[in-house]
Amino acid sequence: MGRRGPKPEPAAVKKAKGNSGRRPIGEDPKVEDPKVEDAKPEVLATASVVPPTWLKDGGLDVWNRLAPRLIAMKLLTQLDAETFGRYCRNFSRWLKMQERLDDKGEVYEIETASGLVRRYEPAFAIADRLERQLSAAEANFGLNPAERQRLYAARAAGAGAGAGDLFGDNGQRKGDDRPSAAQNAPAPARPTSAVGFLQ
């Protein structure tokens, strides 16, 4: 089941549309690209997040390009390495299918008893399936602007939410050691009929 409501929009899109509701529009955080010159070209293990051993060739290239940015945004940890490795491998395969499609085209023709028939190139179906898998994984890792905005909003909401009531003070004033009225109030009586729930 998907998330409720419309997908969140990136801050840049919100600003381009205008701010008719006059609500504050957050900024997307700026992330610096880490220096890659000093790392080994075959494996880039940044901040102790090491790619899976089964990740090879093109998938490892995708890892080396994207992992440092995700680590800097705190979206990739060692716990996510296998899942992100699968994304990198699928992205590499998708690129190979796109190269094949560029070379051979999306359809091919075969001669049958009823005449010439055009069929989809198998690479087209494979690339389409991979693209769907990649889109789902990109949402999980915040690799598209809308999902990044959702992740930033969730982080901001989590940082602002403290333990306690709306103002984070559990109904007590500073320097007041007495329990608040909300803490001393008796629990409400449980209604015995369905009508009681509506009151």
Side-chain angles (χ1 to χ4, degrees), residues 102-170:
D102 290 343
D103 184 39
K104 296 188 179 220
E106 284 90 13
V107 294
Y108 64 96
E109 296 177 347
I110 60 170
E111 187 69 38
T112 64
S114 58
L116 197 62
V117 176
R118 298 180 75 184
R119 301 237 170 136
Y120 281 117
E121 176 72 29
F124 182 77
I126 294 169
D128 184 53
R129 185 174 296 153
L130 284 169
E131 193 163 344
R132 283 189 229 143
Q133 292 173 358
L134 290 171
S135 293
E138 286 167 355
N140 293 337
F141 284 105
L143 290 173
N144 63 42
E147 289 303 319
R148 258 192 312 279
Q149 187 69 21
R150 184 188 62 78
L151 288 169
Y152 297 147
R155 281 186 181 170
D165 68 355
L166 179 63
F167 301 105
D169 61 356
N170 289 331

